[in-house]
């Protein structure tokens, strides 16, 4: 029988849509044909009728020029008046011929034109040429006689009347065409509505047919499921689906589920039956016989043997206690030692053996008609307290199925406890008989034996209770297993969501950085140029305005960098680069960066460096410098008078805690920044550690800031393997201390560092109140222009600026032009490549990254690859400023990289290096 072609729901829906689309396409073609025809007729009216009226007016104008020139010449006698006459005399016939040709489909109008032409020629012959000839002969008398009669006027009146009649006919013809065009337009509208109605009906018909084909099949499946549900647990029924689509797949899957449930029900029923049949059995041999009979009936086994462990002088021995389908007692050997044969091996390894390739010498299964070789052997050990106490061997004429193997495995899970209980009860019975036999001889010991009997009974009860408890624990373990699996899936889903959220946050911050840095670049460059006032065109107030704009732009840039740093730390994407750092230069660096701030605020700056501080430590110098600068900036910000003191010393060995000693480091450094500022209340110490938080609202209003500095400093310190502690008193100032290890091995054990921090925090809390530093702002330093040394380098250099933002182009072009450079601009990578191919070579290119059509990465790759300009300096400019941006730019072909907003001094310095090289 041929396989029925699969026609899925998706195919049905797609075919329905295709039919609708075809109908729409046919309707579109018909409608487009009608509209094209309508457009042609409209164009004919516009072009033909306008041209007819235009040529008619031009012929009349020529005639008027001839009449005017004739009269002017006759009155004045000047030959210049004959120029328009002669020009019109040659031109009107050309326009007449064009008009006559245009009306070749209208004989009536052509006939009128011929009459007009005859009238014009009559006027020329009767009034035009004769009067001009008389004037040339200076025959004034005959001219006077001619104009007394003036026959030319009658000709002119006739011509004008003929033109008026001609125009009226053309006007009526135009109106007639417009009316016909309106009628065709109305017909097209009616046709359009008809097509729309037709397509709608077709769509509804297709939708009804498709929905019925799907819904009817689903109803059949639903009815079948309801019949199975109403059968009160009878799972023999199966779903039959005639369609060959996804509904059939659903039916097959449901049938497979029913089969699985039916198998599970069979398994649970047989397990319950096997457990209940143990009750009331007091001997091992009866238990073994009952077990073999029951299991053989369930699995269809045709042969079986039951071996129970016994102890003798040779050790543990497994002795046959029962057999199924035994032939004269020769069903297998009577005993096995551990490791002897498959029985002994199963007991030794505590594992199950399933053998389907049975050798010819194996025990034959006997029936009434003869002996039959088994096809499968199943050997399973019975465990109690992780010890093998019995081994069961089954043989069958068919291979044991997975379900039958699972049934036996689950039954014997608790069977070991049952066997042990029976053995104990048998032992109890034996002891009881012995006690009864010795009653007469050992009357004195009867009470003791009676007590032992009671104890044994209690043990039997305890064993029964233990059995029940084990069953309950098994059920609890299964429930907990399901709960743990669900919890695991939930945690994996939440981890995936967190990863997505982190990715979305990073993308948002990258785009936000780009969008803010692009306009900020223009603001900083132009405000810096205005602040310099090189042309001396600005007043002092205007220079101050420019300085304020530039300072505000710097503050905004610092805020953007803080937000990006905090995001990188939170997402774990901030790289720490451990390397050597020269500590001997730190005091000079602090003095150089903050001495002018101290002078401006009239605050004394003190720097103390202990002699035992090593000259070289191993840490991330960039993050270390950022922490120190932020702490000092914060100290100066909140100190109105007094002093700011920086103390740099090595943590003495006797001050090292136990946890600090476990960190693999050369030494621990302590950098303390003390000020005489406003101080911080104790209850605010934890609050100011959080992002966007400050001590109180008054601090924000008076000193400004966003509340990011402390959070960033604290996170940087943790990434470097250290921490920040603070002691503060309101009105007296604050002292915050950075503890930092020198990591020469390049590894940071964060677990040990966190433990050391917790230990130090406890000791500090016991000694004095602890607090955290407050808002940290970067000090704004004026940008000094020092470009005089590079004038010779920049003079007459050709520089190409590639940027899609006109503001950035204007700012850069203005700044570079002042240095004597020749500037060319392009708005994307495509324009850049075209300019480089079609213009003189450039000395340097400033390449933006994020541009439409072709971005900076692709443009640089093509410059290096296709244009073979491997030595041309290309400086990449980007406002995105995210992780790995510099590496991506350099890999794409950039010579250097600067992030927006640009610092002119930095830009000129980088350009000078590459132009000199």
């Amino acid at each position: 029988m041929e396989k029925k072609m699969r026609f899925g729901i998706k195919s049905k829906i797609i075919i329905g849509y295709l039919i609708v689309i075809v109908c729409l396409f046919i309707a579109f073609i018909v409608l487009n044909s009608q509209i094209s025809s309508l457009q042609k007729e409209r164009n004919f009216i516009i072009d033909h009728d306008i041209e007819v009226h235009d040529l008619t007016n031009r012929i009349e104008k020529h005639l008027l020029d001839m009449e005017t020139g004739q009269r002017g010449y006759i009155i004045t006698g000047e030959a210049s008046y004959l120029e328009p006459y002669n020009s019109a005399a040659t031109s009107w016939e050309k326009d007449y011929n064009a008009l006559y040709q245009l009306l070749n489909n209208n004989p009536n109008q052509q006939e009128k034109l011929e009459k007009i032409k005859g009238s014009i020629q009559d006027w020329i012959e009767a009034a035009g040429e004769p009067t001009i000839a008389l004037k040339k002969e200076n025959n004034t008398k005959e001219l006077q006689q001619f104009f007394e009669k003036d026959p030319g006027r009658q000709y002119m009146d006739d011509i004008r009347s003929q033109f008026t009649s001609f125009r009226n006919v053309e006007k009526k013809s135009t109106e007639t065409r417009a009316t016909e065009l309106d009628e065709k337009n109305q017909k097209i509208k009616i046709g359009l509505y008809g097509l729309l109605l037709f397509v709608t009906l077709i769509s509804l018909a297709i939708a009804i047919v498709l929905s019925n084909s799907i819904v009817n099949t689903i109803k059949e499946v639903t009815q079948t499921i309801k019949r199975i549900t109403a059968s009160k647990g009878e799972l023999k029924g199966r779903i039959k689906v005639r369609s060959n689509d996804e509904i059939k797949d659903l039916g097959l899957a449901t049938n497979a589920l029913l089969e699985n449930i039916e198998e599970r029900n069979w398994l649970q029923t047989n397990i319950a039956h096997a457990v209940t049949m143990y009750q009331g059995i007091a001997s091992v041999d009866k238990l073994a016989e009952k077990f073999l009979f029951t299991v053989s009936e369930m699995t269809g086994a045709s042969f079986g043997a039951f071996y129970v462990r016994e102890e003798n002088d040779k050790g543990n021995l497994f002795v046959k206690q029962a057999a199924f389908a035994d032939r004269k007692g020769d069903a297998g050997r009577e005993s096995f030692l551990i490791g002897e044969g498959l029985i002994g091996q199963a007991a030794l390894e505590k594992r199950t053996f399933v053998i389907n390739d049975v050798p010819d010498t194996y025990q034959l299964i006997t029936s009434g008609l003869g002996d039959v070789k088994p096809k499968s052997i199943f050997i399973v050990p019975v465990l109690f307290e992780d010890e093998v106490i019995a081994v069961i061997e089954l043989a069958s004429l068919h291979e044991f199925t997975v379900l039958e193997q699972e049934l036996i495995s689950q039954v014997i899970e608790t069977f070991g406890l049952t066997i042990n209980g029976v053995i104990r009860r048998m032992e109890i019975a034996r002891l009881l008989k012995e006690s009864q036999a010795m009653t007469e001889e050992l009357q004195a010991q009867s009470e003791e034996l009676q007590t032992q009997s009671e104890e044994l009974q209690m043990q039997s009860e305890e064993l029964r209770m233990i059995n029940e408890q084990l069953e309950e624990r098994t059920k609890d373990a299964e429930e907990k297993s399901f709960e743990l699996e669900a919890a695991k899936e939930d945690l994996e889903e939440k981890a995936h969501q967190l990863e997505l959220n982190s990715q979305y946050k990073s993308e948002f911050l990258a785009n936000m950085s780009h969008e803010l840095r692009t306009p900020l670049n223009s603001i900083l460059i132009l405000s810096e140029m205005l602040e310099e006032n090189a042309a001396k065109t600005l007043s002092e107030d205007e220079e101050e305005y420019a300085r304020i704009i530039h300072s505000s732009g710097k503050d905004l840039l610092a805020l953007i960098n803080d937000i990006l740093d905090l995001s990188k730390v939170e997402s774990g994407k901030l790289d720490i680069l451990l390397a050597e750092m020269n500590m001997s230069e730190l005091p000079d660096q602090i003095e150089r960066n903050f001495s002018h701030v101290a002078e401006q605020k009239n605050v004394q700056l003190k720097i103390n460096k202990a002699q035992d501080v090593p000259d070289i430590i191993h840490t991330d110098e960039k993050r270390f410098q950022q922490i120190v600068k932020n702490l000092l900036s914060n100290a100066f910000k909140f100190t109105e008078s007094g002093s700011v003191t920086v103390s740099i010393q090595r943590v003495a060995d006797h001050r090292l805690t136990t946890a600090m000693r476990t960190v693999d480091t050369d030494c621990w450094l302590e950098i303390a920044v003390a000020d005489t500022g406003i101080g911080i209340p104790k209850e605010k110490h934890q609050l100011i550690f959080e992002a966007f938080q400050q001590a109180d609202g008054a601090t924000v209003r008076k000193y400004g800031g966003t509340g990011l500095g402390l959070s960033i400093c604290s996170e940087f310190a943790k990434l470097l393997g250290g921490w920040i502690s603070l002691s503060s008193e309101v009105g007296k100032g604050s002292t915050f201390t950075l503890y930092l290890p020198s990591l020469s091995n390049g590894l940071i054990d964060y677990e040990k560092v966190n433990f050391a921090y917790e230990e130090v925090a406890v000791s500090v809390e016991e000694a004095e109140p602890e607090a955290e530093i407050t808002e940290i702002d970067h000090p704004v330093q004026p940008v000094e222009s020092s470009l005089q040394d590079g004038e010779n380098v920049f003079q007459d250099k050709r520089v190409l600026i590639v940027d899609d933002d006109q503001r950035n182009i204007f700012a850069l072009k203005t700044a570079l032009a002042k240095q004597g450079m020749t500037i060319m601009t392009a708005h994307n990578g495509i324009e850049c490549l075209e300019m480089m191919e079609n213009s003189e070579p450039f000395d340097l290119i400033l390449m933006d990254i994020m541009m439409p059509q072709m971005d900076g990465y692709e443009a640089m790759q093509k410059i290096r690859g296709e244009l073979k300009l491997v030595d041309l300096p290309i400086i990449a400019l980007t406002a995105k400023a995210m992780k790995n941006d510099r590496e991506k730019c350099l890999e794409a072909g950039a010579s250097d990289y600067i992030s927006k907003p640009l610092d002119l001094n930095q830009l000129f310095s980088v350009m000078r290096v590459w132009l000199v090289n």
Side-chain angles (χ1 to χ4, degrees):
M1 182 176 179
E2 295 184 358
K3 184 177 180 182
K4 187 177 180 181
M5 183 180 70
R6 182 178 177 86
F7 193 48
I9 296 175
K10 180 179 179 182
S11 301
K12 296 177 182 178
I13 296 174
I14 290 175
I15 290 175
Y17 277 120
L18 287 176
I19 294 175
V20 173
I21 291 171
V22 169
C23 293
L24 289 174
F25 183 71
I26 294 173
F28 173 78
I29 292 175
V30 173
L31 181 62
N32 184 62
S33 175
Q34 293 295 326
I35 292 175
S36 299
S37 176
L38 191 66
Q39 184 69 26
K40 290 179 181 179
E41 294 184 8
R42 173 182 170 275
N43 293 339
F44 176 79
I45 293 175
I46 293 173
D47 298 337
H48 177 272
D49 293 4
I50 290 177
E51 182 69 16
V52 168
H53 288 291
D54 183 54
L55 290 173
T56 304
N57 292 333
R58 284 163 59 183
I59 293 172
E60 278 193 295
K61 180 179 178 301
H62 294 322
L63 187 60
L64 180 61
D65 290 343
M66 292 174 65
E67 184 183 18
T68 303
Q70 174 223 20
R71 291 182 180 275
Y73 177 72
I74 293 172
I75 294 171
T76 62
E78 294 183 5
S80 60
Y81 282 97
L82 291 179
E83 293 180 1
Y85 176 87
N86 296 328
S87 176
T90 58
S91 299
W92 76 269
E93 290 187 359
K94 295 179 181 179
D95 293 337
Y96 169 82
N97 293 331
L99 180 60
Y100 188 84
Q101 185 65 28
L102 198 61
L103 296 172
N104 58 1
N105 60 345
N106 194 341
N108 293 331
Q109 287 294 85
Q110 284 183 335
E111 184 178 350
K112 290 182 180 181
L113 274 180
E114 290 175 354
K115 291 180 180 180
I116 292 173
K117 179 180 180 182
S119 299
I120 294 173
Q121 290 176 342
D122 291 343
W123 178 84
I124 293 173
E125 293 174 357
E129 293 295 336
T131 55
I132 292 173
L134 290 174
K135 182 64 178 177
K136 288 181 179 180
E137 296 172 358
N138 201 18
N139 193 343
T140 306
K141 183 177 180 180
E142 290 187 14
L143 279 173
Q144 186 175 1
Q145 292 176 356
F146 178 85
F147 279 106
E148 287 177 356
K149 298 179 182 180
D150 198 7
R153 176 175 295 179
Q154 182 62 37
Y155 285 116
M156 280 297 177
D157 292 340
D158 292 341
I159 292 172
R160 291 189 181 94
S161 176
Q162 291 171 346
F163 270 118
T164 301
S165 175
F166 179 83
R167 287 195 191 90
N168 291 334
V169 173
E170 282 299 319
K171 183 177 180 181
K172 290 181 180 179
S173 177
T174 301
E175 292 174 352
T176 301
R177 293 190 186 97
T179 302
E180 293 175 354
L181 194 62
D182 291 339
E183 292 176 354
K184 288 186 177 182
N185 189 26
Q186 187 66 25
K187 292 179 181 179
I188 290 175
K189 287 183 179 178
I190 296 173
L192 178 62
Y193 291 136
L195 286 174
L196 181 61
L197 178 61
F198 174 74
V199 173
T200 302
L201 293 176
I202 290 296
S203 301
L204 289 175
I206 293 172
I208 292 171
V209 172
L210 289 178
S211 61
N212 287 338
S213 67
I214 296 172
V215 171
N216 292 338
T217 307
I218 293 177
K219 284 182 179 179
E220 292 179 6
V221 175
T222 304
Q223 291 300 325
T224 304
I225 294 175
K226 287 182 178 179
R227 288 195 299 271
I228 294 174
T229 304
S231 64
K232 297 181 179 180
E234 179 61 38
L235 303 177
K236 297 297 183 181
R238 293 294 181 266
I239 298 173
K240 297 180 181 179
V241 181
R242 290 187 296 273
S243 62
N244 191 13
D245 53 15
E246 288 79 359
I247 304 300
K248 181 178 181 181
D249 297 338
L250 175 62
L252 294 177
T254 305
N255 290 337
L257 176 61
L258 291 173
E259 291 176 0
N260 183 266
I261 294 174
E262 187 177 5
E263 291 177 353
R264 290 297 168 187
N265 288 342
W266 178 84
L267 185 64
Q268 296 298 328
T269 302
N270 287 326
I271 291 174
H273 174 67
V275 172
T276 56
M277 68 91 181
Y278 303 154
Q279 300 176 359
I281 299 177
S283 63
V284 175
D285 53 350
K286 294 293 184 182
L287 178 64
E289 289 177 0
K290 187 68 174 177
F291 179 84
L292 286 177
F293 177 79
T294 302
V295 171
S296 298
E297 183 180 7
M298 293 177 181
T299 61
S302 303
F303 179 82
F306 197 106
Y307 294 87
V308 179
R309 185 185 66 183
E310 294 182 0
E311 295 182 359
N312 57 14
D313 53 354
K314 297 181 180 180
N316 291 331
L317 186 70
F318 286 88
V319 179
K320 183 172 71 173
Q321 295 290 337
F324 178 75
D326 192 358
R327 184 180 64 179
K328 298 180 181 179
D330 61 351
R333 290 174 51 177
E334 292 298 323
S335 64
F336 287 92
L337 293 172
I338 292 181
E340 183 181 4
L342 291 178
I343 299 294
Q345 192 66 27
L348 178 64
E349 299 182 12
K350 300 177 184 179
R351 71 183 183 94
T352 301
F353 290 96
V354 179
I355 303 172
N356 293 323
D357 188 9
V358 180
D360 296 334
T361 58
Y362 190 78
Q363 172 74 50
L364 299 179
I365 298 174
T366 303
S367 67
L369 299 177
D371 298 333
V372 183
K373 174 187 172 183
K375 290 187 177 180
S376 181
I377 301 171
F378 187 60
I379 302 174
V380 55
V382 181
L383 303 179
F384 175 73
E385 295 181 352
D386 201 32
E387 292 291 335
V388 179
I389 63 173
V391 179
I392 301 167
E393 180 178 2
L394 297 174
S396 176
L397 296 176
H398 66 275
E399 293 185 1
F400 288 98
T401 65
V402 176
L403 188 62
E404 292 170 347
Q405 296 178 27
E406 184 177 356
L407 170 64
I408 297 174
S409 299
Q410 292 192 21
V411 168
I412 66 171
E413 285 182 358
T414 58
F415 191 53
L417 183 62
T418 303
I419 295 175
N420 186 68
V422 172
I423 292 175
R424 290 291 182 91
R425 286 195 293 271
M426 291 176 64
E427 181 69 16
I428 292 170
R430 185 183 65 80
L431 293 174
L432 181 59
K433 289 180 180 180
E434 289 180 358
S435 65
Q436 291 175 351
M438 297 174 63
T439 300
E440 296 178 357
E441 298 177 0
L442 303 173
Q443 187 67 33
Q445 299 179 2
S446 60
E447 295 180 359
E448 183 181 354
L449 292 175
Q450 184 66 27
T451 302
Q452 291 178 356
S453 176
E454 292 176 356
E455 290 177 353
L456 290 174
Q457 290 178 356
M458 291 178 62
Q459 290 179 359
S460 176
E461 182 65 23
E462 289 176 357
L463 288 174
R464 187 182 65 80
M465 294 177 62
I466 291 173
N467 187 21
E468 294 176 355
Q469 292 175 358
L470 287 175
E471 292 179 356
E472 292 177 358
R473 290 179 181 177
T474 301
K475 294 180 180 179
D476 293 340
E478 291 178 354
E479 293 177 357
K480 290 181 180 180
S481 176
F482 289 133
E483 292 175 358
L484 289 174
E485 186 67 24
K488 178 183 177 183
E489 294 178 356
D490 188 34
L491 288 174
E492 291 177 351
E493 178 65 22
K494 289 182 178 179
H496 180 64
Q497 292 295 330
L498 287 174
E499 183 179 355
L500 287 178
N501 291 339
S502 176
Q503 179 182 353
Y504 295 153
K505 179 179 178 182
S506 299
E507 289 296 327
F508 166 75
L509 289 174
N511 294 330
M512 179 272 292
S513 172
H514 179 269
E515 296 301 327
L516 290 178
R517 287 171 181 265
T518 297
L520 187 58
N521 182 57
S522 303
I523 292 173
L524 290 177
I525 293 177
L526 294 176
S527 61
E528 183 179 356
M529 294 171 61
L530 290 173
E531 181 183 352
E532 293 174 357
N533 195 13
K536 305 299 181 183
T537 57
L538 301 179
S539 63
E540 293 183 358
D541 290 340
E542 290 172 334
E543 289 184 13
E544 182 64 22
Y545 298 156
R547 279 192 291 272
I548 293 173
I549 293 173
H550 190 266
S551 175
S552 300
K554 285 283 190 176
D555 292 341
L556 179 57
L557 176 60
L559 174 60
I560 294 172
N561 291 333
D562 286 346
I563 293 175
L564 291 176
D565 286 342
L566 184 60
S567 172
K568 292 176 182 177
V569 172
E570 290 177 348
S571 62
K573 295 181 178 180
L574 187 68
D575 292 333
I576 297 299
L577 304 177
L578 299 178
E580 292 184 353
M581 177 182 173
N582 192 342
M583 290 296 294
S584 61
E585 298 177 354
L586 183 59
D588 294 335
Q589 294 174 353
I590 296 174
E591 179 73 23
R592 183 166 56 253
N593 291 330
F594 289 94
S595 60
H596 65 286
V597 180
E599 293 175 1
Q600 291 175 359
K601 299 201 68 174
N602 196 21
V603 174
Q604 186 177 4
L605 173 61
K606 301 178 181 178
I607 305 174
N608 301 321
K609 178 175 177 290
Q611 296 295 328
D612 58 352
V613 175
D615 292 336
I616 301 297
I617 67 170
H618 293 81
T619 187
D620 189 326
E621 182 173 1
K622 178 181 178 182
R623 305 304 173 190
F624 176 83
Q625 292 282 5
Q626 191 170 350
I627 295 172
V628 173
K629 289 180 180 179
N630 285 348
L631 294 180
L632 282 167
S633 299
N634 191 71
F636 281 110
K637 177 179 180 180
F638 294 100
T639 303
E640 300 294 339
S641 62
S643 63
V644 173
T645 304
V646 181
S647 300
I648 307 169
Q649 60 183 353
R650 180 171 183 167
V651 180
D653 292 340
H654 68 275
R655 293 179 56 200
L656 294 176
T657 65
T658 303
M660 293 173 70
R661 296 177 188 274
T662 62
V663 179
D664 187 8
T665 176
D666 299 338
C667 65
W668 282 85
L669 293 183
E670 178 183 323
I671 298 92
V673 179
D675 62 64
T676 58
I678 60 177
I680 307 168
K682 182 178 180 180
E683 63 273 12
K684 301 293 184 180
H685 289 178
Q686 293 299 326
L687 176 65
I688 60 176
F689 244 144
E690 301 176 6
F692 303 103
Q693 297 291 337
Q694 292 189 345
D696 53 39
T699 304
V700 178
R701 292 190 296 271
K702 182 175 181 181
Y703 297 98
T706 60
L708 289 175
L710 173 58
S711 179
I712 295 173
C713 271
S714 177
E715 295 297 334
F716 280 178
K718 292 178 182 178
L719 290 175
L720 296 179
W723 60 86
I724 297 175
S725 65
L726 171 69
S727 62
S728 177
E729 186 175 351
V730 177
K732 294 185 178 181
S734 304
T735 300
F736 41 92
T737 306
L738 170 64
Y739 291 93
L740 199 66
S742 174
L743 303 169
S744 58
N745 60 359
L747 299 175
I748 303 177
D749 191 339
Y750 288 107
E751 183 177 355
K752 293 182 179 179
V753 170
N754 290 335
F755 182 64
Y757 167 68
E758 292 173 1
E759 185 176 2
V760 171
V762 171
S763 63
V764 172
E765 184 176 356
E766 294 174 354
E768 59 180 0
E770 180 184 1
E772 296 295 340
I773 58 173
T774 57
E775 166 62 14
I776 300 172
D777 285 332
H778 299 283
V780 179
Q781 302 181 14
V783 180
E784 299 179 358
S785 178
S786 57
L787 305 176
Q788 299 300 323
D789 296 338
E791 289 181 355
N792 293 334
V793 176
F794 297 146
Q795 188 66 35
D796 298 330
K797 297 296 184 182
R798 287 175 52 82
V799 177
L800 175 60
I801 301 175
V802 185
D803 199 317
D804 62 326
D805 194 299
Q806 196 62 37
R807 299 166 297 184
N808 288 339
I809 291 177
F810 172 76
L812 285 172
K813 187 174 182 180
T814 304
L816 299 181
K818 288 185 178 181
Q819 306 304 317
M821 288 178 270
T822 301
I823 309 301
M824 302 293 286
T825 62
H827 295 88
N828 53 55
I830 296 177
E831 291 186 13
C832 169
L833 296 176
E834 291 176 352
M835 294 184 66
M836 295 187 67
E837 291 177 350
N838 301 325
S839 63
E840 297 180 6
F842 292 98
D843 297 299
L844 185 139
I845 297 178
L846 299 179
M847 179 72 70
D848 186 29
I849 299 301
M850 306 299 291
M851 295 182 295
Q853 297 184 6
M854 182 186 290
D855 59 19
Y857 295 127
E858 186 177 355
M860 289 188 293
Q861 290 173 350
K862 289 183 178 295
I863 291 173
R864 299 303 193 199
E866 297 180 3
L867 301 184
K868 306 298 183 183
L869 299 176
V870 295
D871 297 327
L872 176 64
I874 303 176
I875 300 176
L877 310 177
T878 179
K880 202 168 184 183
M882 294 302 288
K883 180 182 178 182
N884 299 328
D885 277 357
R886 178 182 181 87
E887 290 74 9
K888 289 175 63 178
C889 290
L890 296 179
E891 290 177 0
S895 305
D896 214 326
Y897 166 93
I898 302 178
S899 63
K900 294 180 182 177
L902 303 177
D903 184 294
L904 285 180
N905 286 342
Q906 180 188 10
L907 176 62
F908 288 139
S909 176
V910 174
M911 291 177 63
R912 184 182 297 110
V913 169
W914 286 103
L915 289 174
V916 170
N917 290 340

